Amino acid sequence: MMIMKRLLFLVSVCSLCMVGNSQNYQPEEHAVVKSDRGDGRLLSTYAIVHEMLKNTHPQYAYCSGMSAQEFTQWQNGVRTAMVEIMKFPEIKGQPSPVCVKTEKKEGYILEKWEFYPFPKSVSTFLVLKPIHLKGAVPGVLCIPGSGRTKEGLAGEPGICDKLTEDYNNPQVSMALNMVKEGYVAVAVDNAAAGEASDLECYDKGWNYDYDVVSRFLLELGWSWLGYTSYLDMQVLNWVKSQSYIRKDRIVISGFSLGTEPMMVLGVLDKDIYAFVYNDFLCQTQERAVVMTKPDKENRRPFPNSIRHLIPGYWRYFNFPDVVASLAPRPIIFTEGGLDRDFRLVQSAYAASGKPENAEFHHYPKFADKAVRKDVERLDEGLDSKTYFETVNVDPPSHYFKNELVIPWLRKVLK
C-alpha cells in the first residue's frame, strides 16, 4: 500500500512538472532554430538537418558575370542535372496517341485524345484548335494548378460534378483563352488529378490526394514531378509532330503547380519557344530554411507537400536558377516574388543578349515598388503567412493572369 502511495505521489509531481513546462512554453521563443549549449552544437535532429540544408550550396546556382561560353556550359550542366533527377524511363513499343472524341464548338474544334505512356496505362489530353485553320499556327501546352483540370482549362465541365470548376471564368479557362486568340491549345491533367485521379469523383472532389501517389513514386526511386513531367513530355512530342502547329512557336504555359513541369520541359527541350510562369518566383531552398516558426500544433512547418519533393533538387539548383537557364527564350512572370530573384533572372537574360525577352509583373497589391519588400536575404523564424507577406505574395489574387498573358503572347508570337 505504501509503495502505491509513493507511485501516486511521483506521478502527481511529474504531472505538475509537465503542466508547468507546458505553461512556460512560448512558440515565439523557438521560432529561430538555435543551440542552447555553450559550444554551439545542436542536439535536435531537426536543428541538425536544418543546418545541413543551410549549408547546402547548389552546384548550378546562377552567377552573374558569366562569359558567353561559361553561360552555355552552365546551361548544359543544368540540363544534365535535370535529366538525372527527373529519371525519365525509356518506354518503347507503345501505341501512338488516338483521337477518341471530336466536338464542334463556337469558333473552334474540341478534341479528346488518348496516349499510352506505359504498358497497361492510358492518359488523356484535350486539343482546342481554331475552326478555320489557315496553315500552321502557334501551339500552347497548358498545364493546370493543383486543384485544376484540363476540362476547366478548356472551359468545359469536369468529368463528374465534384470535379467541375468555375469553367466559364477566364481566370480558370487558360486553354479556351488561347484558342480564342487563334492558337492551338493543348490541355493536360496533372498526375493524380482530374481524369487521372482515383476516388475523388465520389468524395473529395478537387482536393486531390497527391501524397499517396507521391509516396509510391518516391519509394520506387522516382518523384511526382518526374512522373507528371514525363507524361507532359509525351504530349509535347505529339504537339511537335502536328502539321497545323508551328514547331518554332510552341509555348508552355504553367499555372501554380503547373510551373514546375513547365520548367522541367523547358530545360530538357530546346525547341520550346516561350514560357508563361503564372506563380510567384522563389528560392525554394531558402523558403524551407526560413520557415521555422512552430505552428499552433507545435510543429515546425514545411513549405510544401511531398508532391514537390524531388530527391537531389537542392543539390543542383533553385527555381530562379532553372528559369534563368531558359534564356534567351521569351518568358513572362505574372505573380511576382522578390525583386532579388527577378534581378538574377534578368542578369541571365542580359548575359544571353536578350534582356527584353524576360517580362516581370507583381501582384497588383505589390505593383508599386514603394510597397514591395526588396531584400537580399530573408531571416529565419517565419510562418507561412509571414513568409508570403515578406516575399510580396497576395494569395487571394492567385489566378491565371489572362489580362497579362494574352497581350504578351500577341507581342512575342507575332
Side-chain angles (χ1 to χ4, degrees):
M1 188 70 175
M2 183 62 68
I3 294 175
M4 181 63 71
K5 287 182 177 179
R6 287 179 179 174
L7 286 173
L8 290 171
F9 174 74
L10 289 171
V11 169
S12 299
V13 170
C14 289
S15 298
L16 286 171
C17 290
M18 291 174 66
V19 169
N21 288 339
S22 175
Q23 289 175 341
N24 292 332
Y25 169 72
Q26 298 296 329
E28 292 76 14
E29 295 178 3
H30 299 268
V32 176
V33 181
K34 54 190 175 184
S35 172
D36 56 4
R37 292 169 54 104
D39 61 5
R41 289 182 176 273
L42 303 164
L43 181 60
S44 155
T45 304
Y46 174 92
I48 293 167
V49 297
H50 180 262
E51 188 70 13
M52 290 180 185
L53 179 58
K54 287 169 65 174
N55 291 320
T56 297
H57 304 289
Q59 182 177 347
Y60 295 109
Y62 175 73
C63 298
S64 59
M66 292 182 185
S67 67
Q69 182 179 3
E70 289 171 335
F71 187 78
T72 300
Q73 290 174 342
W74 170 76
Q75 281 183 312
N76 291 336
V78 172
R79 186 171 294 111
T80 299
M82 191 68 80
V83 169
E84 175 192 330
I85 63 178
M86 287 300 112
K87 300 182 184 298
F88 284 6
E90 292 188 18
I91 308 293
K92 298 181 179 179
Q94 291 298 103
S96 299
V98 174
C99 181
V100 295
K101 182 180 179 182
T102 301
E103 187 175 352
K104 187 176 180 181
K105 297 285 185 174
E106 187 176 348
Y108 65 98
I109 301 293
L110 175 65
E111 297 176 345
K112 182 173 183 178
W113 285 73
E114 288 185 352
F115 67 108
Y116 314 97
F118 308 98
K120 290 193 173 182
S121 79
V122 59
S123 192
T124 56
F125 60 92
L126 299 177
V127 181
L128 294 76
K129 52 188 181 184
I131 204 163
H132 298 300
L133 279 173
K134 297 179 180 178
V137 299
V140 184
L141 176 58
C142 303
I143 308 177
S146 61
R148 301 300 185 186
T149 66
K150 65 183 185 300
E151 286 77 23
L153 297 185
E156 295 289 317
I159 60 168
C160 63
D161 287 344
K162 286 186 177 293
L163 301 189
T164 294
E165 306 163 52
D166 184 13
Y167 58 91
N168 290 316
N169 186 342
Q171 296 180 354
V172 173
S173 57
M174 183 199 309
L176 181 59
N177 301 341
M178 301 300 178
V179 77
K180 287 180 177 179
E181 285 296 307
Y183 313 133
V184 173
V186 179
V188 297
D189 279 318
N190 286 314
E195 200 166 21
S197 63
D198 187 26
L199 305 176
E200 282 81 350
C201 267
Y202 305 105
D203 183 17
K204 293 184 177 181
W206 59 268
N207 187 22
Y208 300 111
D209 191 352
Y210 295 99
D211 288 356
V212 172
V213 168
S214 300
R215 174 66 185 264
F216 282 179
L217 289 166
L218 289 165
E219 294 282 8
L220 291 168
W222 209 2
S223 67
W224 182 90
L225 183 58
Y227 178 92
T228 204
S229 298
Y230 176 73
L231 298 188
D232 292 344
M233 184 64 82
Q234 312 310 303
V235 179
L236 175 60
N237 289 336
W238 176 89
V239 169
K240 292 164 63 176
S241 71
Q242 303 307 299
S243 60
Y244 53 86
I245 296 175
R246 286 185 60 179
K247 295 171 185 54
D248 64 342
R249 289 295 183 272
I250 293 173
V251 179
I252 310 294
S253 180
F255 171 67
S256 196
L257 178 62
T259 60
E260 295 185 25
M262 180 216 76
M263 285 186 280
V264 173
L265 298 184
V267 169
L268 298 183
D269 193 323
K270 297 180 181 180
D271 292 336
I272 300 169
Y273 176 74
F275 306 92
V276 174
Y277 193 106
N278 202 130
D279 199 358
F280 80 101
L281 182 64
C282 73
Q283 295 276 357
T284 51
Q285 179 183 351
E286 176 187 59
R287 186 177 179 185
V289 166
V290 302
M291 287 179 59
T292 54
K293 184 177 180 180
D295 60 22
K296 60 184 179 182
E297 297 176 350
N298 198 26
R299 299 185 70 230
R300 298 193 194 273
F302 194 80
N304 285 313
S305 73
I306 62 171
R307 70 173 176 267
H308 299 273
L309 194 161
I310 311 101
Y313 202 96
W314 288 336
R315 289 192 297 113
Y316 291 123
F317 30 60
N318 274 282
F319 286 179
D321 306 313
V322 175
V323 293
S325 79
L326 303 180
R329 293 174 287 176
I331 187 168
I332 184 173
F333 299 88
T334 67
E335 293 188 337
L338 285 174
D339 289 296
R340 172 202 67 184
D341 297 330
F342 281 172
R343 285 192 289 269
L344 182 144
V345 175
Q346 186 67 67
S347 174
Y349 272 77
S352 72
K354 290 288 185 179
E356 70 278 8
N357 278 2
E359 185 167 312
F360 307 96
H361 297 271
H362 286 272
Y363 279 102
K365 181 178 178 179
F366 299 104
D368 185 349
K369 186 173 177 61
V371 174
R372 289 199 302 275
K373 297 177 181 65
D374 188 0
V375 298
E376 289 297 321
R377 179 181 172 276
L378 299 181
D379 293 326
E380 296 172 34
L382 306 180
D383 57 18
S384 179
K385 181 176 183 294
T386 310
Y387 172 80
F388 283 137
E389 291 171 352
T390 306
V391 297
N392 306 310
V393 172
D394 182 21
S397 295
H398 179 48
Y399 62 85
F400 181 69
K401 300 295 189 295
N402 188 58
E403 66 275 17
L404 298 175
V405 173
I406 294 301
W408 179 79
L409 285 174
R410 290 171 186 161
K411 179 174 63 176
V412 301
L413 293 176
K414 61 182 179 182

